[in-house]
Amino acid sequence: MNHLYDRERDGFAGDTIVRSMRLLLLIHLAAGHLVRHVTWANDLSQSWRAVTMGTALAVCVATFRTRWQRVALLIALPLQVYQVYEKFPAVANHLWVETLLLLALLLVAEGDDDNVLYRQFACWLAVIVFFYSGLQKFWYGTYFDGQYLATKIALFEHYRVFFAWFVPAEDIARLQSYAPLYAGAGPFRIESLSYLVVVNLVWITEIVAALLLLFRRTRFWGLVFGLLVILGIELVAREVFFGVLYVAVCLAFLRRDGVRWLIPVATALYVYLILTTIEAFDWLPTPVFYP
């Protein structure tokens, strides 16, 4: 099997993906800290809010000076590690991805060999996360009959909006009646065939995407499947920060630097999300999203 990103065949002079990925990750981390600072203000102590806000502002200041970007990553690292420590073992997927990318981008420079090394790391990260995510869903079995997502339908309106296309209204009303969840609530079984097909396609597509990405001949379709998975996550779960970051990871499979084209899109999206958390901009349509 060929390397996911072969140094001799795929590497080229002038690659800029490390520089672009550093910039995107710093914008991503700064925006995430700012949004969490506002969104979860009531859940944070004053000292923690000060640290979070200070880190976000420091990263913002350093981000757009190329020579300071490594310093900005170092500033962000302690807070990132602490977040993982504080939430362990229930660490959100995007926190793991952020932390691994942060460490990788601290270790590499911006030469041609470093760009190839980063691409190899990012490609393997994409494969491992897709495969493990699908395997985990298969192993626990709660996707087979749709029970896991049925609990989400019971709890969250945006899940109900999406799955209304596949689940009868009476089932949605029944599930909604279980909220807030309590011991003995249920059943969470949904008989709709279209719902069960959609739910099981999630873990199947993740595993298939990972396997297709392993081989050069099937890599294009692996990337298509992977991006479809991310699109599905955004349509249903609306994990915006994870989605943007993971698209950037997957773009490492492209021979050219696709991340630099993602930066303005991600920046505009993050600015909009930050504005929707500020009272002065409460006239803006407020999307449901998870930072």
Side-chain angles (χ1 to χ4, degrees), residues 138-161:
F138 171 82
W139 187 260
Y140 285 104
T142 56
Y143 273 67
F144 295 158
D145 54 10
Q147 289 190 57
Y148 174 76
L149 289 178
T151 64
K152 297 291 187 181
I153 293 172
L155 293 172
F156 301 109
E157 176 64 24
H158 56 285
Y159 279 84
R160 292 193 285 272
V161 169

Side-chain angles (χ1 to χ4, degrees), residues 171-215:
D171 279 334
I172 289 180
R174 172 176 58 82
L175 293 170
Q176 192 173 358
S177 70
Y178 302 150
L181 299 184
Y182 55 90
F188 289 93
R189 189 170 183 83
I190 297 175
E191 300 293 342
S192 168
L193 179 60
S194 59
Y195 169 76
L196 294 176
V197 169
V198 168
V199 168
N200 281 278
L201 277 175
V202 175
W203 64 268
I204 292 172
T205 305
E206 287 177 329
I207 292 176
V208 169
L211 296 177
L212 291 176
L213 285 171
L214 286 173
F215 304 97

Side-chain angles (χ1 to χ4, degrees), residues 12 16 42 45 61 64 73 76 80 108 117 153 164 179 195 207 215 222 231 278 280 284 289:
F12 61 94
T16 57
N42 295 331
S45 67
V61 169
F64 294 98
L73 291 172
Q80 195 70 22
V108 296
L117 186 62
I153 293 172
Y195 169 76
I207 292 176
F215 304 97
L231 176 62
I278 300 172
L284 288 172
F289 69 96

Side-chain angles (χ1 to χ4, degrees), residues 1 45 64 67 69 81 131 142 252 262 288:
M1 183 181 70
S45 67
F64 294 98
R67 63 180 180 176
Q69 285 180 1
V81 171
F131 185 78
T142 56
L262 181 61
V288 177

Side-chain angles (χ1 to χ4, degrees), residues 35-58:
V35 169
R36 292 178 193 118
H37 174 80
V38 177
T39 306
W40 298 338
N42 295 331
D43 300 328
L44 302 176
S45 67
Q46 289 296 323
S47 57
W48 179 247
R49 290 177 66 186
V51 169
T52 302
M53 198 65 174
T55 302
L57 293 175

